[in-house]
Amino acid sequence: MLYIAIAALMVLTAILFWTAGSLFGQYRLLHSRGYLDIGRLHELRSFSLRYQRFDMPSPDSIQPWMTYRYVNTIFGLPSHYVSQKLGITDSRYPNLVIGTLPLNNLKAALRAYLASQKKTQ
Amino acid sequence: MDIVSIVLSYLLLYKYIALFTIAFLGAFLLPVPSSITLAAASAFASQGYFNFYLVFLVALAGNLAGDNLGYFLASRYGQRFLERIGFNHILRLRNYHALEEYVKTYPGSLIYFSRFLTEVDPAVNVLAGLVGIPWRTYFLYDFVGEFSYVALYSLTGYLLGNQWENNAGFFTKSGLVMLLLGAVIMLIQGTLFYHRVKKKKPQI
């Protein structure tokens, strides 16, 4: 029994070290890219905001499971911009899942909005 | 749409109610993707769609509520339920008594580490209730475990922000590390327990 326990312990420890090593590798990768570049916990919020400036969501990242309210929030769209552009008449808008709507139309509308914002800046 | 997509849509539509419900169901019984939901809610918080502190508190409350409901139902009706479905002989097995004694001797590591594995968590709650671990002991380890789990997943989700979907492997690996760490500790405890029981046996 004792020998079996010791053998199992050694195998589990080896797997643990391997997984922890892999996890550490992933941590180092994130750190090298500056995602985890924080020293203190209370700075987390400001660092996260700084990081987002480098990595703004793109219209290509829109997924069918997202809602219009979420899309409006993360891209800073006026609340009725998308409904007017795409002719959405559903009363539940913007609390509505994008779902089956052709995503390309929505992405095009977003690109147009972002381009117009760039021009005005 | 797959189950994760459905859960994420539900999360975006009903926000904190959805987060609580998913955390509760995951901790209580159902195999719902509660870890990925927590990480996603935290990532959405980094984008300004959720409040990070509320995400933390709601997820913690949902997990604790689900865990404690499982524990209470098992401690109150567990034995009667096993008798009714004809599995009461399990409670009389020698191995069950050994398991019961082991869990009562070392409840901490079992409860703490199982919090990181939503698939194992409900079973441990039922076991803790069934073997009669005192509620205060159970709640202490449950709270510390759930706090660590929610902190790990929510902070990682928050830090990863828009990249959370591409780094889903990070969450799986974190869970695996905690599982293995728990397994190593329990193996050490199990060996110590085995020797203690062996010593206790009267010499003939």
Side-chain angles (χ1 to χ4, degrees):
Chain A
M1 171 68 188
L2 187 64
Y3 293 119
I4 296 168
I6 291 169
L9 191 66
M10 285 169 73
V11 171
L12 282 173
T13 312
I15 298 170
L16 180 67
F17 272 100
W18 176 77
T19 318
S22 168
L23 198 62
F24 184 66
Q26 197 155 359
Y27 167 80
R28 283 184 65 182
L29 181 74
L30 289 170
H31 192 269
S32 67
R33 289 182 184 175
Y35 294 159
L36 302 173
D37 196 15
I38 54 165
R40 284 168 294 186
L41 195 62
H42 71 265
E43 288 177 346
L44 188 134
R45 206 173 181 82
S46 60
F47 268 94
S48 180
L49 289 172
R50 193 185 71 179
Y51 145 66
Q52 273 187 58
R53 275 208 291 273
F54 295 110
D55 193 43
M56 280 291 286
S58 81
D60 291 322
S61 64
I62 292 175
Q63 301 290 325
W65 53 263
M66 292 175 177
T67 62
Y68 291 104
R69 183 180 288 281
Y70 174 70
V71 172
N72 290 346
T73 306
I74 62 167
F75 289 97
L77 300 174
S79 56
H80 288 287
Y81 175 80
V82 172
S83 62
Q84 282 167 1
K85 278 274 176 187
L86 303 179
I88 299 166
T89 50
D90 196 316
S91 60
R92 291 171 296 171
Y93 177 91
N95 288 320
L96 192 63
V97 177
I98 295 167
T100 51
L101 181 121
L103 278 180
N104 288 340
N105 295 355
L106 179 59
K107 287 175 185 174
L110 266 172
R111 280 196 199 95
Y113 178 80
L114 294 174
S116 70
Q117 287 300 105
K118 265 186 188 170
K119 271 183 193 170
T120 52
Q121 281 173 4
Chain B
M1 281 206 280
D2 60 304
I3 181 81
V4 176
S5 303
I6 293 166
V7 165
L8 289 176
S9 292
Y10 184 62
L11 179 69
L12 289 176
L13 282 173
Y14 301 104
K15 297 180 101 175
Y16 301 103
I17 296 169
L19 181 63
F20 182 89
T21 310
I22 293 160
F24 175 82
L25 291 176
F28 176 54
L29 203 63
L30 294 177
V32 288
S34 56
S35 301
I36 214 83
T37 309
L38 172 58
S42 308
F44 299 151
S46 76
Q47 297 165 334
Y49 194 72
F50 277 84
N51 179 306
F52 178 74
Y53 300 107
L54 271 177
V55 165
F56 188 92
L57 288 175
V58 169
L60 184 64
N63 278 307
L64 286 175
D67 288 340
N68 280 274
L69 182 65
Y71 169 86
F72 273 117
L73 288 177
S75 66
R76 200 156 183 165
Y77 306 107
Q79 292 203 359
R80 255 187 283 172
F81 178 73
L82 284 178
E83 278 168 20
R84 188 161 283 188
I85 60 168
F87 281 107
N88 53 334
H89 65 278
I90 292 173
L91 304 173
R92 289 192 290 273
L93 291 174
R94 211 177 56 165
N95 286 345
Y96 175 77
H97 289 297
L99 177 72
E100 186 179 15
E101 206 183 328
Y102 168 73
V103 173
K104 278 182 175 171
T105 315
Y106 301 108
S109 56
L110 182 68
I111 297 170
Y112 181 83
F113 285 105
S114 63
R115 304 304 96 173
F116 293 86
L117 299 150
T118 43
E119 300 82 5
V120 181
D121 182 4
V124 172
N125 299 332
V126 170
L127 185 65
L130 209 58
V131 302
I133 292 174
W135 182 74
R136 281 187 185 184
T137 311
Y138 168 79
F139 187 75
L140 173 74
Y141 292 119
D142 183 37
F143 182 82
V144 175
E146 288 296 6
F147 193 92
S148 312
Y149 158 76
V150 172
L152 175 72
Y153 279 76
S154 58
L155 284 173
T156 311
Y158 191 88
L159 279 168
L160 291 174
N162 300 328
Q163 294 293 317
W164 75 273
E165 267 188 294
N166 303 332
N167 287 282
F170 186 87
F171 303 109
T172 318
K173 282 177 187 169
S174 310
L176 196 59
V177 165
M178 295 312 282
L179 169 72
L180 290 168
L181 202 60
V184 167
I185 290 172
M186 272 183 258
L187 200 62
I188 294 167
Q189 286 176 344
T191 313
L192 291 173
F193 179 75
Y194 175 75
H195 281 279
R196 218 175 68 175
V197 171
K198 218 175 165 184
K199 268 187 190 172
K200 264 190 189 174
K201 274 184 184 170
Q203 300 292 321
I204 303 164

